[in-house]
Amino acid sequence: MNKEKEFKKDDYIRIVKEKLKDNSNIMLEQIDRYYKAKDYTLPTCKYKVGDDVKLLKGTLLHGTYKNIDGLKKILDDGLISSWFIDGRLSKYPSSIGVWNIKEDYLLKDYINFYSGGTILYSGIFENGIDTQTNKTAVIPYNDMNNIINIITSVDCHMWTLEQTKEARFMPSLVQDRVQIGIIFNGNNDYTKELLKGDILNPNFISDDNVKEFVNPDYYEKFLKHRKNKDDFFTDRESAILFGIPANLIEGILVGRKYEKDNKILNEIKELIPNCYICNLDGKVIF
């Protein structure tokens, strides 16, 4: 039995009291939500092989660069933030990062969207006058071939282009490093309750209360960005305090390498038999 499996609720509560001075109640409430969610049973999956996967509004996704080993670790005791696992100091080590679907989407369309690039137009001109304004946009994967037409459609001083965050951290059409994406069901009261601990949403946690949950070196920039989101610091993201239990997983998205590996696919199905496995075409394959 590994270390994570041996951890109990009391151990997590002890860590909270050690780490937090002023806002331990917020994290303790979140841990209570987590353990209530652990008792929930998802409805039986109705997908058949060949079906298109539809992501409902509120669905949460998370990619693990450790791939099958990362999935096994998450299945041991859920997706838990680094404060409680390895102490790694990220921007918000108190929380786990997920992609929060803001509207109903076919998975294949969402993958096409996030496998593209994010562009920043700086110093936009209108009628030859520098407006000193900027704007951002996402260029979907299937539009990347039109990049010249896209960048010349906006008169600006400078533009910069980079991969979307999802393209880096989820299985995508542009890289093969990440082969496992986890799809958490959001169509239930338990996931909605967990989202009350989203530190990227200022409506739930105030600027003062959020301070203890954010890397001190990043705090001022964090406050600015979470109030003024664009396609770089996106409203597609949530950072949920403590974690999400594994029983809320409804499906596994695999990259092209794993899609062709029957041994891996069978191992995933054995690990999590009640979930569907889907590919980058957005179709159920197992």
Side-chain angles (χ1 to χ4, degrees):
M1 184 177 288
N2 64 32
K3 183 179 178 180
E4 286 74 35
K5 261 196 158 178
E6 293 173 352
F7 261 55
K8 304 296 182 185
K9 186 176 180 180
D10 288 345
D11 296 309
Y12 295 131
I13 290 172
R14 174 181 51 77
I15 293 171
V16 169
K17 292 179 177 178
E18 290 172 355
K19 287 184 174 292
L20 296 174
K21 296 179 181 178
D22 302 321
N23 296 294
S24 60
N25 61 309
I26 294 175
M27 184 66 88
L28 293 176
E29 287 176 6
Q30 189 69 6
I31 291 175
D32 279 339
R33 294 185 186 114
Y34 176 94
Y35 277 91
K36 287 177 182 176
K38 284 191 74 168
D39 293 330
Y40 177 64
T41 301
L42 288 179
T44 302
C45 173
K46 296 181 180 179
Y47 284 124
K48 299 182 179 63
V49 171
D51 285 352
D52 287 319
V53 174
K54 185 175 185 179
L55 305 177
L56 299 179
K57 179 180 178 181
T59 301
L60 306 178
L61 296 94
H62 177 84
T64 171
Y65 69 92
K66 293 182 180 178
N67 296 319
I68 188 68
D69 291 334
L71 175 61
K72 290 176 181 177
K73 185 174 181 181
I74 290 166
L75 291 175
D76 279 345
D77 194 24
L79 181 60
I80 304 292
S81 64
S82 62
W83 259 8
F84 302 92
I85 300 300
D86 56 20
R88 181 169 46 87
L89 191 60
S90 59
K91 289 181 178 178
Y92 8 90
S94 61
S95 311
I96 53 98
V98 291
W99 309 105
N100 189 340
I101 302 300
K102 298 299 184 182
E103 59 186 81
D104 291 357
Y105 243 121
L106 284 175
L107 176 59
K108 64 180 180 182
D109 293 335
Y110 182 56
I111 291 169
N112 176 69
F113 170 78
Y114 76 62
S115 294
T118 310
I119 191 164
L120 168 66
Y121 301 98
S122 302
I124 295 174
F125 287 82
E126 292 182 2
N127 300 319
I129 299 173
D130 186 352
T131 64
Q132 297 186 353
T133 59
N134 304 330
K135 76 173 185 177
T136 65
V138 173
I139 304 172
Y141 180 79
N142 66 329
D143 283 341
M144 290 297 288
N145 286 338
N146 300 320
I147 188 67
I148 299 300
N149 292 333
I150 292 169
I151 62 175
T152 55
S153 67
V154 178
D155 187 8
C156 65
H157 175 69
M158 181 177 71
W159 58 265
T160 54
L161 179 67
E162 64 180 52
Q163 286 177 312
T164 67
K165 290 183 180 180
E166 292 100 321
R168 292 173 242 165
F169 297 111
M170 286 284 294
S172 74
L173 301 172
V174 292
Q175 52 84 11
D176 286 327
R177 293 182 304 278
V178 181
Q179 290 293 306
I180 290 282
I182 297 166
I183 304 173
F184 291 96
N185 185 289
N187 192 29
N188 64 81
D189 291 339
Y190 296 96
T191 303
K192 292 170 185 174
E193 282 292 303
L194 287 170
L195 281 166
K196 291 180 178 178
D198 178 7
I199 66 172
L200 296 184
N201 189 334
N203 295 323
F204 288 137
I205 302 177
S206 70
D207 288 354
D208 289 335
N209 288 342
V210 83
K211 187 171 185 178
E212 282 192 291
F213 302 123
V214 180
N215 185 325
D217 296 333
Y218 182 62
Y219 175 65
E220 294 300 330
K221 187 179 289 187
F222 172 85
L223 291 184
K224 178 182 177 182
H225 283 168
R226 81 168 182 161
K227 291 177 181 175
N228 300 282
K229 294 177 181 176
D230 58 21
D231 292 297
F232 287 86
F233 193 100
T234 81
D235 65 357
R236 306 189 300 272
E237 297 173 69
S238 290
I240 299 174
L241 290 171
F242 187 66
I244 305 178
N247 57 292
L248 294 180
I249 298 173
E250 68 169 54
I252 301 296
L253 170 65
V254 295
R256 294 301 190 204
K257 288 183 178 179
Y258 277 13
E259 178 184 5
K260 300 171 185 175
D261 191 327
N262 287 328
K263 181 180 178 181
I264 287 284
L265 294 178
N266 279 294
E267 185 174 5
I268 293 171
K269 198 65 175 177
E270 288 176 6
L271 288 169
I272 190 162
N274 295 325
C275 292
Y276 58 86
I277 303 174
C278 52
N279 64 8
L280 289 170
D281 301 314
K283 290 188 177 295
V284 176
I285 59 173
F286 208 132

